[in-house]
Amino acid sequence: MDIKAPDLGVDSAEVSEIMVEVGDVIAKDDNILLLESDKASVEVPSSAAGKVTKISVAIGDQVSEGMVLIELESADDSAESNDDIAAAEEQEANSTDDVKPESKPEPAATESTQSESAAKPAANAGKATTHALPDLGVDEAQVSEIMVSVGDTVSAEQSILLIESDKASVEVPAPVAGKIEKILVEAGDMVANGQDFIVIMASGTDDASDSKSEAPKPQEPAPAKTTGEPKQAAKPNNTDTAASKTEGKLTEAQVNEKLVDVYAGPAVRKLARQLGVDITQVNGSALNDRILKEDLFAHVKNSLTKQKAAPVSSNPVSSGLPKLPDMSNAEIWGETETQDLSRLQKVSIPQLNYNTLLPQVTQFDLSDITETENLRGELKGGMKAEGVGFTILAFVVKATAYALTQHPRFNSHLSDDNTQVILRKSVNMGIAVATDDGLIVPVIKNVQDKGLKQIAIEIGELAVKARDKKLSTKDLQGASFTISSQGNLGGTAFTPLVNWPQVGILGVSEASMQPRWDAKTQSFEPRLMLPLSLSYDHRVINGADAAVFTRYIATLLADPRRILI
């Protein structure tokens, strides 16, 4: 019997830990693997019971949905093994006892009990039931918004909580329909998988059935707690290790072995592998000593300072900025006020710090979009009647996606060892959206296969979800290139920052009417010119290719019919 990987929520994930061995006898829903993506750790349960006869994956392998993980000898087959024959014979010998005839009906009684249990929801409709949070995909997240109040009547799957992690906002739906009796969490609370969060009085048979079927869910996160305990228990050992070892870099294999025993998220672990840092020597600054990316950067900074004994200001890329001066003297500095950054701004800082490690160059150009704007003016009325906002950005996205298919190096990533370029076969376009909390970049997938109308629809939908904090994790993953449009905010050009691990980003500024020389008429004509700013990673893209690529986009925008040829 093959046990296959379920839907992981991502295209692929890495095997971080194998929790079973060949020969183990496991029950259904026992955890067999720990998988990690860039966003979360997920324990994979077995879909059947039996004896493990083969493990088809190894630590470090990338797995995807449907891939065979382990092979089992079914429970029925394993019961006939040599180890169980004696027990079977003893059971047969005792079948003549008086007790056995009374015990035989038990399966029927069990089935009867299950039938009664299945029928109970109808009778229990109207009873208040406490419900637990589903698997959030992360160890913990913060309650950002409570969308209901005590006394409200909700339908099944209606959004009732907004939960925010460092990477995304997730709406938690009501597990059943009914009346809100009690809310067990508050805005700002940190919550975990399986935590009780709401009490609902079910309103009907179907809803109550849903409640009953989901009632066992709070028990599912128990293995996660078990997994977490060794991590916390290992902390003193980590401290001892840090004290006894000299700071330095390890091989990737050595780092991978140690990562399982520390309290750190998948993104932090991946960064540790890339930096070659022994994460057991890093002190965590978050709740329960959890290690953040900032802690890794601080560790690297301290290591470089000790190894090179260089001044802090001699290498601003690796050591960071010096501390602010003391501004307590009002006579010198005047009055000051401290304001907290938004959560989104805080979590964006580590990503922005990557830009200090990229050799970036920006190429500027202008596109004559006079004819394109005339075409848009002809189409936008019909689009508006259908509820679609048809802006010039849809043309920019379409033209850029086509240009990326013709110049695939701009739709790529540089390998970790700086020896290869990983070309993306599809164009997943990140669209920078400004919100009250800061900049966020949702992703339109497979843009190369979509028309202008569909692109315009998805731009509008993602922008609304971003401003309403309703983007899912999948909405934010997988970008191969990014466009940052300043629209009508003003400005003639700017230098956007490449969003690592991408190698390019296109900035679009406000279009303006400018006089352009027409050689045919020997006169200047007013033309609508759109400024383009292409920033690129100079390790992968050279200046000549960047100039050709930017001009190619400008040409496509001037005459979108070229895309159809």
Side-chain angles (χ1 to χ4, degrees), residues 334-381:
E335 297 295 330
T336 61
E337 178 185 357
T338 301
Q339 294 182 348
D340 290 336
L341 293 175
S342 69
R343 182 178 179 80
L344 182 58
Q345 289 174 316
K346 290 177 183 177
V347 300
S348 298
I349 289 175
Q351 178 71 25
L352 292 172
N353 284 339
Y354 292 153
N355 292 108
T356 61
L357 306 175
L358 299 180
Q360 297 186 79
V361 184
T362 303
Q363 173 73 29
F364 301 98
D365 209 328
L366 287 170
S367 176
D368 184 347
I369 62 168
T370 308
E371 303 304 328
T372 303
E373 178 60 20
N374 291 338
L375 174 62
R376 188 186 74 86
E378 295 173 4
L379 299 175
K380 70 177 182 180

Side-chain angles (χ1 to χ4, degrees), residues 219-296:
Q219 300 301 323
E220 293 179 2
K225 293 181 180 178
T226 303
T227 304
E229 287 172 2
K231 294 179 183 178
Q232 295 178 358
K235 274 294 174 182
N237 187 34
N238 294 342
T239 306
D240 295 339
T241 304
S244 61
K245 293 183 178 180
T246 58
E247 294 180 346
K249 292 188 176 182
L250 301 178
T251 65
E252 184 172 343
Q254 290 172 314
V255 173
N256 285 337
E257 292 179 1
K258 295 176 179 291
L259 284 175
V260 178
D261 299 323
V262 299
Y263 192 14
V268 175
R269 298 179 186 188
K270 181 179 179 180
L271 181 59
R273 289 194 291 269
Q274 292 171 343
L275 297 177
V277 172
D278 181 358
I279 202 169
T280 62
Q281 298 183 17
V282 180
N283 295 321
S285 61
L287 184 65
N288 295 326
D289 296 329
R290 182 163 64 92
I291 298 173
L292 306 176
K293 290 182 180 179
E294 292 86 345
D295 300 326
L296 285 178

Side-chain angles (χ1 to χ4, degrees), residues 215-477:
K217 282 191 177 179
Q219 300 301 323
E220 293 179 2
K225 293 181 180 178
T226 303
T227 304
E229 287 172 2
K231 294 179 183 178
Q232 295 178 358
K235 274 294 174 182
N237 187 34
N238 294 342
T239 306
D240 295 339
T241 304
S244 61
K245 293 183 178 180
T246 58
E247 294 180 346
K249 292 188 176 182
L250 301 178
T251 65
E252 184 172 343
Q254 290 172 314
V255 173
N256 285 337
E257 292 179 1
K258 295 176 179 291
L259 284 175
V260 178
D261 299 323
V262 299
Y263 192 14
V268 175
R269 298 179 186 188
K270 181 179 179 180
L271 181 59
R273 289 194 291 269
Q274 292 171 343
L275 297 177
V277 172
D278 181 358
I279 202 169
T280 62
Q281 298 183 17
V282 180
N283 295 321
S285 61
L287 184 65
N288 295 326
D289 296 329
R290 182 163 64 92
I291 298 173
L292 306 176
K293 290 182 180 179
E294 292 86 345
D295 300 326
L296 285 178
F297 293 135
H299 176 81
V300 173
K301 167 187 169 182
N302 293 333
S303 298
L304 291 174
T305 302
K306 290 179 181 179
Q307 292 171 6
K308 296 183 178 181
V312 173
S313 60
S314 65
N315 192 350
V317 171
S318 61
S319 63
L321 297 172
K323 291 184 178 181
L324 290 173
D326 182 5
M327 299 182 183
S328 58
N329 190 335
E331 292 183 1
I332 298 176
W333 298 97
E335 297 295 330
T336 61
E337 178 185 357
T338 301
Q339 294 182 348
D340 290 336
L341 293 175
S342 69
R343 182 178 179 80
L344 182 58
Q345 289 174 316
K346 290 177 183 177
V347 300
S348 298
I349 289 175
Q351 178 71 25
L352 292 172
N353 284 339
Y354 292 153
N355 292 108
T356 61
L357 306 175
L358 299 180
Q360 297 186 79
V361 184
T362 303
Q363 173 73 29
F364 301 98
D365 209 328
L366 287 170
S367 176
D368 184 347
I369 62 168
T370 308
E371 303 304 328
T372 303
E373 178 60 20
N374 291 338
L375 174 62
R376 188 186 74 86
E378 295 173 4
L379 299 175
K380 70 177 182 180
M383 295 283 195
K384 186 176 181 180
E386 298 180 31
V388 180
F390 196 48
T391 67
I392 196 66
L393 181 58
F395 286 91
V396 176
V397 172
K398 181 61 178 177
T400 304
Y402 183 80
L404 289 170
T405 63
Q406 304 304 305
H407 298 78
R409 179 158 286 221
F410 289 84
N411 197 50
S412 70
H413 309 294
L414 182 64
S415 66
D416 290 335
D417 59 4
N418 295 340
T419 62
Q420 294 178 315
V421 174
I422 303 168
L423 302 176
R424 298 282 291 272
K425 296 296 185 181
S426 58
V427 178
N428 292 352
M429 193 73 73
I431 307 294
V433 177
T435 70
D436 293 338
D437 293 331
L439 198 66
I440 195 165
V441 186
V443 183
I444 302 177
K445 306 294 174 60
N446 297 310
V447 184
Q448 77 282 354
D449 299 329
K450 296 176 180 177
L452 286 169
K453 181 178 179 180
Q454 182 61 33
I455 292 172
I457 291 172
E458 294 193 31
I459 289 174
E461 290 175 346
L462 288 174
V464 171
K465 289 172 69 175
R467 296 186 181 106
D468 293 344
K469 299 181 180 180
K470 293 184 178 181
L471 289 170
S472 67
T473 303
K474 288 186 177 181
D475 290 331
L476 299 169
Q477 294 178 332

Side-chain angles (χ1 to χ4, degrees), residues 193-216:
N193 301 332
Q195 178 176 332
D196 291 342
F197 76 106
I198 201 162
V199 179
I200 300 178
M201 180 172 290
S203 59
T205 302
D206 294 339
D207 299 331
S209 297
D210 292 341
S211 174
K212 281 294 179 181
S213 65
E214 295 192 10

